[in-house]
Amino acid sequence: MIAANTPDEQFEGKVREFGGRIMSTAASVSLSHRDPTLLGQTVVVIGGSAGIGLATARHARAEGADVILTGRDPDRLRSAATDVGALSTAAFDANDPAQLKRFFQELPEQIDHVMITAGHPSYGRLLDMDADEARRAMSEHMLLPLEVARHAVGRVRPGGTLLHMGGTGGRRISPGYGIASAVTAALPVLTAGLALELAPIRVNLIAAGFVDTPLSAGLLGEGLDARREELRATLPIGRVVGPADVAALAVHIMTNTALTGATYDIDGGQQFVG
């Protein structure tokens, strides 16, 4: 025979139950009413008029940041600025050292994060590239981050972030990847070196696989839909990586002050199966 609980035991049980409900409710309220993670901070996105850059600007704004966008196309840049409610914009070629220097000189005295998404991958056989093509490819992916780092000193607050974009595809050596493979190998080393030299400013690299952006559409043309279907069928995540996925990672890196000198892959497992 099981003894019934005493009145005291019944009372204690009710207290525990009621207290558990309070804690559960408090946790839910806390999670749903958390402060934006970038509130009061300023994020600069170089190449922020479309794709990953624009998606990151949107996410940063949603987390309370002021955003400053740059891009080459003034019309597209104005549209992006209206989309996210940008603090300001600047239309220029980021690979022009004089224009890049002028842009940083005209920025507010203190900014918090700079993300570089300008440029696009250069594919093809190495020996088929002429000298100008090779210089342009190296400038967009190696020299631009270095120049931005020079200008970041004294502008980006201690603990703020420089965030570069790279890729994972070039890790597979192939005649078709050309100089992209060299850049893919070099960027993590450049990132780590800059993280040491710029400390306490943090420097990190996002290495993306295929991301469903206007740039990808332009590169693949009529093959875009077939590539999407192939990735949906083969990627472990069962879907295609989008700009918002990369933007979420970018904002996490901006807000987690323990992260520096590292490379973060985001490709849905593409490099393991494709």
Side-chain angles (χ1 to χ4, degrees):
M1 183 175 182
I2 300 176
N5 290 337
T6 66
D8 285 346
E9 290 171 335
Q10 292 174 1
F11 176 75
E12 290 174 0
K14 291 293 185 181
V15 169
R16 284 195 297 269
E17 179 183 356
F18 183 65
R21 288 176 182 172
I22 291 176
M23 291 179 65
S24 177
T25 302
S28 299
V29 170
S30 176
L31 288 173
S32 61
H33 291 83
R34 67 173 179 81
D35 290 333
T37 57
L38 292 174
L39 188 64
Q41 299 185 32
T42 301
V43 176
V44 175
V45 185
I46 298 177
S49 62
I52 292 170
L54 179 55
T56 301
R58 286 195 192 107
H59 198 115
R61 281 291 291 147
E63 290 295 340
D66 289 324
V67 297
I68 298 172
L69 304 181
T70 86
R72 296 182 185 181
D73 187 320
D75 292 334
R76 193 165 67 178
L77 191 58
R78 278 192 293 270
S79 177
T82 301
D83 179 345
V84 302
L87 178 66
S88 64
T89 64
F92 68 99
D93 181 356
N95 288 290
D96 183 318
Q99 293 186 58
L100 185 67
K101 180 179 180 180
R102 187 180 310 116
F103 167 71
F104 272 91
Q105 287 176 337
E106 294 174 354
L107 281 175
E109 289 187 4
Q110 195 91 121
I111 58 177
D112 297 275
H113 311 283
V114 181
M115 183 175 185
I116 308 167
T117 64
H120 58 82
S122 300
Y123 298 117
R125 295 177 62 87
L126 285 167
L127 296 183
D128 291 338
M129 299 182 73
D130 63 32
D132 287 339
E133 289 174 324
R135 288 192 193 96
R136 185 166 56 251
M138 293 299 292
S139 176
E140 287 186 350
H141 297 287
M142 296 296 296
L143 297 183
L144 176 56
L146 183 57
E147 287 302 304
V148 169
R150 295 185 204 279
H151 297 305
V153 177
R155 291 282 176 180
V156 176
R157 66 168 178 79
T161 317
L162 296 187
L163 188 54
H164 307 149
M165 281 298 306
T168 60
R171 293 173 186 171
R172 296 191 174 201
I173 307 302
S174 163
Y177 283 117
I179 207 164
S181 295
V183 170
T184 298
L187 270 174
V189 180
L190 176 68
T191 299
L194 288 175
L196 292 177
E197 293 194 16
L198 290 179
I201 296 172
R202 299 179 295 113
V203 188
N204 290 288
L205 171 67
I206 293 177
F210 176 90
V211 182
D212 203 347
T213 64
L215 175 60
S216 298
L219 290 172
L220 291 175
E222 294 181 356
L224 177 62
D225 287 338
R227 183 61 171 147
R228 286 169 173 160
E229 289 303 316
E230 177 190 9
L231 290 170
R232 290 189 188 105
T234 59
L235 290 183
I237 62 172
R239 65 176 180 85
V240 178
V241 176
D245 297 310
V246 184
L249 175 59
V251 169
H252 171 70
I253 294 170
M254 291 175 191
T255 58
N256 189 329
T257 58
L259 306 179
T260 193
T263 298
Y264 299 90
D265 290 3
I266 180 165
D267 66 356
Q270 180 182 337
Q271 60 188 306
F272 307 123
V273 300

